[in-house]
Amino acid sequence: AWRGGQLFYDGAPLARVAADLQRNLGVPVSVSDAAAARPFRGVVRLDGGVEPTMARLGILLGANVRRSGKGWVIAGP
């Protein structure tokens, strides 16, 4: 599915989601220690570039997803 611009998850920890996003988007993506083990179920669309993808992810997670230097950080709500 990643070739089609989508990442599917069924209970994957956010640390894995962050690693997949980093690899697919080509920018550093980290996750806070408090949120790293949190499970995620859903689909992340990679279309539109980095900023729209990360904005959608923040909405899906109900979490704080923000820029940090040249990368992004996913933190808990």
Side-chain angles (χ1 to χ4, degrees), residues 51-75:
E51 290 198 29
T53 297
M54 298 308 286
R56 286 189 299 265
L57 182 65
I59 293 167
L60 279 172
L61 296 173
N64 180 10
V65 176
R66 62 180 167 76
R67 256 185 200 268
S68 178
K70 294 183 181 184
W72 292 81
V73 175
I74 302 167

Side-chain angles (χ1 to χ4, degrees), residues 1 4-5 9-11 14-15 17 20 23-24 26 31-33 35-36 41 45-46 51 57-58 65 71 76:
Y9 299 96
D10 186 15
L14 283 182
V17 175
D20 290 348
R23 183 175 54 256
N24 284 278
V31 61
S32 68
D33 290 340
R41 286 177 178 78
R45 291 188 358 244
L46 301 174
E51 290 198 29
L57 182 65
V65 176

Side-chain angles (χ1 to χ4, degrees), residues 15-28:
R16 177 174 162 212
V17 175
D20 290 348
L21 287 167
Q22 181 170 299
R23 183 175 54 256
N24 284 278
L25 296 174
V27 296

Side-chain angles (χ1 to χ4, degrees), residues 1-8 24 43-48 53 56:
W2 60 269
R3 291 182 192 183
Q6 296 180 328
L7 302 174
F8 291 84
N24 284 278
V43 179
V44 179
R45 291 188 358 244
L46 301 174
D47 61 331
T53 297
R56 286 189 299 265

